[in-house]
């Protein structure tokens, strides 16, 4: 017997219908479901890169997905440097992509 043959009434996971949410990404509405991370909402919407590197302007999105690499930084509700893979999306969140200028020789932008 496989898990697929468990009758729905006996399913210990008891999946429920997803609760839809809407966030804005650079001012455009993007739909997701409650419980997704911001990275999950972005990836599910075919947005694969949302930051660029200071040097070389290389595209970055989710790399590790576990909060280690900091490649997924976004601005959320005005707060900079939020790891999209670690932040649960909430309806109404306003996400803006990072696009930093390269640092100068003294560390200034
Ligand atoms: S994807 Fe690596 S910290 Fe978010």
């Amino acid at each position: 017997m496989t898990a697929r043959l468990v009758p729905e009434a006996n399913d210990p996971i008891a999946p429920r219908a997803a609760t839809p949410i809407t966030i804005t990404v650079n001012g455009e509405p993007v739909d997701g479901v409650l419980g997704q991370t911001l990275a999950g909402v972005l990836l599910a919407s075919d947005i694969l890169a949302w930051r660029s590197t200071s040097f070389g302007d290389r595209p970055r999105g989710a790399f590790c997905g576990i909060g280690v690499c900091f490649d997924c930084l976004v601005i959320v509700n005005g707060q900079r440097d939020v790891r999209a893979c670690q932040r649960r999306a909430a309806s109404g969140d306003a996400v803006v992509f990072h696009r930093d200028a390269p640092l100068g020789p003294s560390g200034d932008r």
Side-chain angles (χ1 to χ4, degrees):
M1 182 171 169
T2 69
R4 292 186 182 276
L5 298 177
V6 173
E8 188 175 328
N10 297 338
D11 187 346
I13 296 174
R16 287 171 269 162
T19 302
I21 61 170
T22 301
I23 65 172
T24 61
V25 178
N26 296 329
E28 298 293 322
V30 173
D31 296 325
V33 295
L34 196 62
Q36 282 183 306
T37 61
L38 291 171
V41 172
L42 294 170
L43 293 170
S45 301
D46 288 331
I47 301 170
L48 304 180
W50 50 83
R51 183 179 78 81
S52 59
T53 59
S54 297
F55 293 97
D57 202 27
R58 307 288 300 261
R60 294 289 186 267
F63 180 67
C64 70
I66 58 172
V68 174
C69 72
F70 288 74
D71 262 0
C72 63
L73 297 178
V74 289
I75 301 168
V76 182
N77 303 327
Q79 182 181 6
R80 292 182 52 89
D81 303 329
V82 174
R83 289 173 290 174
C85 71
Q86 298 297 295
R87 172 81 172 255
R88 296 257 184 221
S91 205
D93 275 346
V95 175
V96 177
F97 294 171
H98 264 265
R99 190 169 186 88
D100 289 336
L103 295 176
S106 62
D108 298 335
R109 294 199 190 280

